[in-house]
């Protein structure tokens, strides 16, 4: 008997050891992927640094050579233009000196030999030189009018600031400054949230911080995302965003970045998520007085109908502990029976202010199981958003905590739906007069 127990214990140990080996091998694979990510990203970063600074060096050298050549060409141009008339004037002066020296030489010879030279020759010299104007001089420009080539505008700061600017060009990060924190499935979409990494190597961010969220269809990793076309989902200062109108049971990859002092940061490593929840939609019956549009997400009260005035969602698509948001696109006359709310069970009722429902009326009055709350919310107007955020109460499994937000005001209540909270909830609307238009988001 003891041998059988020992054999059973050994078999169990062997099974546990095999499972442990499998788990360890899985971790080895993850470690391999991690090492590959570090090594490949380091190689890419090195190549990027080398390419960037080689291009920077070529661009700077080319700019320096070009500007140097431009300035030297301009100096030479001014020099040539300025020297040409001076050389012409110089030639005139030199020729006049040569002619005057010739006159002096000839005149001195005639003076020395005047006793033996015929009067006709002396007269000829005088006649020949009387026509020369020995009292006039060629005009020479004063130095103040002659170009004196100077160089201005050379910025000594280029010599000091350019190296400093290059010295602060680029930075190396172990991680992208902002990372996807959670991808939570929503009806027909995914709620993405992100957070900032604390890293001393990260330079100063733009203040206030601005983020971008992108997504694409399929599983994309760090390498393939550079050749994959992403769609812009969000740009702003929030740290979460719901990406809507996604296909069911299809993988989507999400990435995020933030605005730095010098442009946008690198993208985070893509994270993958999918939604299995159907898009929120309204459902109408014939002759209900409502019409639907925008893929059954928008209802419009087109005619009053006292018999059927409550409209429900097509399915119980709202999880207990989830949230739903409505947008008021249009309004009509108010009625005490108007409202937007949640129910656990659909009932043929003409009002939402009943047991088993929590709602906010068109005038901002909140009802929980038919009872009016003391705290009220703003009236529903065109452009108003209404959000119902639900969470389970730990101390009472029959209760839901519901926070209703209208514009910037919020009311929180505890609601006993009167049923199994593991079931999904329906959302509902009731408007008596025509003109009301509500979109579920």
């Amino acid at each position: 008997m003891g041998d059988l127990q020992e054999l059973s214990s050994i078999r169990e140990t062997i099974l546990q050891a095999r499972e442990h080996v499998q788990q360890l091998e899985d971790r080895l694979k993850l470690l391999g992927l991690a090492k590959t990510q570090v090594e490949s990203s380091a190689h890419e970063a090195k190549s990027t640094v080398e390419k960037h600074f080689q291009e920077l060096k070529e661009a700077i050298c080319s700019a320096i050579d070009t500007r140097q050549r431009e300035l030297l060409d301009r100096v030479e141009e001014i020099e040539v233009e300025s020297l040409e008339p001076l050389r012409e004037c110089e030639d005139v002066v030199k020729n006049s000196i040569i002619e005057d020296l010739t006159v002096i030489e000839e005149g001195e010879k005639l003076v020395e030999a005047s006793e033996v030279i015929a009067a006709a020759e002396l007269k000829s010299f005088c006649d020949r030189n009387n026509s020369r104007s020995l009292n006039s001089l060629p005009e020479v420009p004063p130095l103040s009018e002659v170009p004196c080539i100077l160089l201005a505008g050379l910025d000594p700061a280029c010599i000091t600031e350019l190296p400093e600017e290059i010295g602060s060009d680029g930075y190396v990060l172990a991680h992208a400054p902002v990372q996807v924190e959670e991808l939570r499935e929503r009806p027909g979409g995914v709620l993405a949230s992100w957070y900032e990494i604390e890293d001393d190597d990260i330079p100063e961010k733009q203040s206030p911080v601005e983020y971008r969220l992108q997504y694409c269809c399929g599983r994309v990793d760090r390498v393939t995302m550079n050749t994959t076309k992403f769609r812009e989902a969000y740009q702003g200062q929030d740290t979460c965003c719901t990406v809507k109108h996604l296909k069911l049971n299809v993988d989507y990859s999400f990435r995020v970045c933030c605005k730095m002092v010098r442009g946008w940061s690198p993208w985070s490593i893509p994270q993958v998520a999918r939604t299995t929840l159907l898009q929120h939609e309204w459902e109408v019956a014939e002759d209900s007085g409502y019409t639907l549009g925008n893929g059954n997400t928008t209802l419009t009260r087109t005619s009053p109908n006292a018999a059927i005035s409550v409209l429900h969602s097509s399915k119980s698509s709202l999880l207990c502990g989830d949230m739903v948001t409505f947008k008021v696109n249009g309004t009509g006359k108010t009625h005490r029976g108007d409202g937007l709310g949640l129910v656990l069970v659909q009932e043929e009722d003409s009002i939402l202010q009943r047991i088993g429902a929590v709602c906010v009326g068109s005038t901002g009055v909140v009802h929980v199981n038919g009872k009016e709350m003391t705290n009220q919310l703003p009236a529903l107007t065109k452009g108003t958003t209404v959000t119902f955020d639900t969470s389970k109460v730990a101390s009472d499994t029959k209760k839901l905590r519901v926070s209703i937000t209208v514009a910037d005001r919020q009311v929180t209540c505890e609601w006993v739906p009167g049923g199994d909270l593991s079931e999904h909830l329906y959302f509902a609307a009731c408007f008596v007069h025509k003109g009301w238009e509500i979109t579920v988001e």
Side-chain angles (χ1 to χ4, degrees):
M1 187 69 173
D3 292 342
L4 291 176
Q5 290 179 347
E6 291 175 354
L7 287 173
S8 177
S9 177
I10 291 172
R11 291 191 183 97
E12 185 177 349
T13 301
I14 292 172
L15 181 60
Q16 291 177 348
R18 284 175 177 167
E19 292 178 352
H20 193 233
V21 167
Q22 182 62 49
Q23 292 173 347
L24 291 173
E25 288 177 345
D26 291 341
R27 278 159 175 74
L28 273 179
K29 290 179 182 178
L30 290 175
L31 285 171
L33 292 174
K35 287 172 60 181
T36 299
Q37 178 171 302
V38 172
E39 292 169 350
S40 61
S41 63
H43 176 73
E44 291 176 8
K46 291 175 183 176
S47 299
T48 301
V49 169
E50 292 172 354
K51 180 182 178 182
H52 173 77
F53 281 96
Q54 181 61 36
E55 292 176 350
L56 179 62
K57 187 187 300 181
E58 292 173 358
I60 291 175
C61 290
S62 174
I64 291 174
D65 291 343
T66 299
R67 188 56 181 160
Q68 180 182 15
R69 188 68 264 160
E70 290 174 351
L71 293 176
L72 290 176
D73 288 346
R74 181 55 181 156
V75 169
E76 187 173 353
E77 181 183 354
I78 295 175
E79 180 184 20
V80 170
E81 292 177 353
S82 303
L83 287 177
E84 184 176 355
L86 295 178
R87 289 193 177 110
E88 292 176 356
C89 185
E90 183 181 38
D91 291 340
V92 171
V93 172
K94 287 182 178 179
N95 290 334
S96 296
I97 291 174
I98 291 173
E99 291 176 0
D100 288 348
L101 290 176
T102 302
V103 169
I104 293 171
E105 183 180 358
E106 291 180 4
E108 288 178 345
K109 288 180 180 179
L110 290 175
V111 171
E112 290 176 0
S114 59
E115 295 179 357
V116 296
I117 293 178
E121 188 174 350
L122 294 175
K123 184 176 182 302
S124 174
F125 175 82
C126 290
D127 293 339
R128 189 171 64 253
N129 290 288
N130 284 339
S131 61
R132 288 175 51 82
S133 177
L134 295 177
N135 295 324
S136 65
L137 294 172
E139 186 175 351
V140 175
L143 293 181
S144 60
E145 296 180 5
V146 176
C148 178
I149 302 174
L150 305 170
L151 203 54
L154 290 180
D155 189 359
C158 288
I159 301 174
T160 57
E161 292 180 3
L162 185 59
E164 291 178 2
E165 192 72 17
I166 295 174
S168 61
D169 186 27
Y171 43 88
V172 178
L173 303 175
H175 305 277
V178 59
Q179 296 285 336
V180 175
E181 182 175 26
E182 183 183 17
L183 296 173
R184 183 180 175 186
E185 64 176 337
R186 299 280 294 145
V190 169
L191 172 61
S193 59
W194 51 88
Y195 68 101
E196 294 181 31
I197 292 288
E198 295 295 333
D199 190 338
D200 293 337
D201 291 329
I202 298 176
E204 183 182 355
K205 303 181 184 70
Q206 176 182 279
S207 182
V209 180
E210 189 175 359
Y211 305 97
R212 288 173 64 193
L213 175 70
Q214 292 185 341
Y215 73 101
C216 69
C217 186
R219 288 182 169 268
V220 176
D221 58 23
R222 184 190 62 82
V223 177
T224 57
M225 77 170 179
N226 294 325
T227 56
T228 302
K229 185 176 181 180
F230 280 77
R231 299 176 184 176
E232 199 79 13
Y234 173 78
Q235 180 173 334
Q237 298 173 19
D238 293 337
T239 56
C240 64
C241 172
T242 299
V243 182
K244 304 172 184 176
H245 309 300
L246 301 181
K247 297 178 181 179
L248 292 182
N249 300 310
V250 173
D251 288 334
Y252 288 88
S253 298
F254 298 82
R255 66 181 185 180
V256 66
C257 70
C258 64
K259 190 71 172 291
M260 313 297 288
V261 174
R262 295 185 179 183
W264 292 97
S265 74
W267 290 102
S268 65
I269 295 176
Q271 302 294 324
V272 180
R274 62 169 56 190
T275 181
T276 60
L277 304 178
L278 293 171
Q279 173 69 45
H280 287 324
E281 294 180 1
W282 298 103
E283 184 176 49
V284 297
E286 292 184 7
D287 301 325
S288 63
Y290 294 99
T291 59
L292 299 184
N294 196 24
N296 295 335
T297 61
T298 299
L299 69 86
T300 303
R301 185 67 165 171
T302 53
S303 63
N305 188 320
I308 303 175
S309 57
V310 176
L311 187 70
H312 297 89
S313 53
S314 59
K315 298 178 179 62
S316 55
S317 56
L318 184 65
L319 292 169
C320 291
D322 216 334
M323 63 183 290
V324 62
T325 299
F326 304 94
K327 177 74 174 294
V328 180
N329 302 322
T331 61
K333 292 181 180 180
T334 60
H335 187 277
R336 59 185 179 82
D338 292 345
L340 290 169
L342 304 178
V343 299
L344 186 62
V345 179
Q346 287 182 327
E347 293 184 6
E348 295 294 334
D349 217 327
S350 60
I351 61 173
L352 273 175
Q353 292 80 358
R354 62 172 175 82
I355 294 176
V358 56
C359 69
V360 57
S362 57
T363 58
V365 178
V366 177
H367 285 83
V368 180
N369 285 336
K371 294 182 179 181
E372 182 177 327
M373 290 188 65
T374 304
N375 294 332
Q376 295 188 10
L377 293 166
L380 305 188
T381 58
K382 185 176 181 180
T384 298
T385 57
V386 181
T387 300
F388 288 78
D389 193 356
T390 65
S391 60
K392 295 181 179 180
V393 178
S395 59
D396 192 337
T397 57
K398 296 181 180 180
K399 286 183 179 180
L400 278 180
R401 182 171 289 109
V402 181
S403 295
I404 308 173
T405 304
V406 177
D408 295 329
R409 294 276 302 279
Q410 185 179 88
V411 168
T412 300
C413 59
E414 291 190 351
W415 173 45
V416 181
D420 187 0
L421 295 187
S422 64
E423 299 291 334
H424 292 189
L425 300 170
Y426 291 90
F427 51 88
C430 176
F431 292 96
V432 175
H433 297 288
K434 64 180 181 180
W436 288 94
E437 183 179 296
I438 308 295
T439 296
V440 59
E441 299 182 343

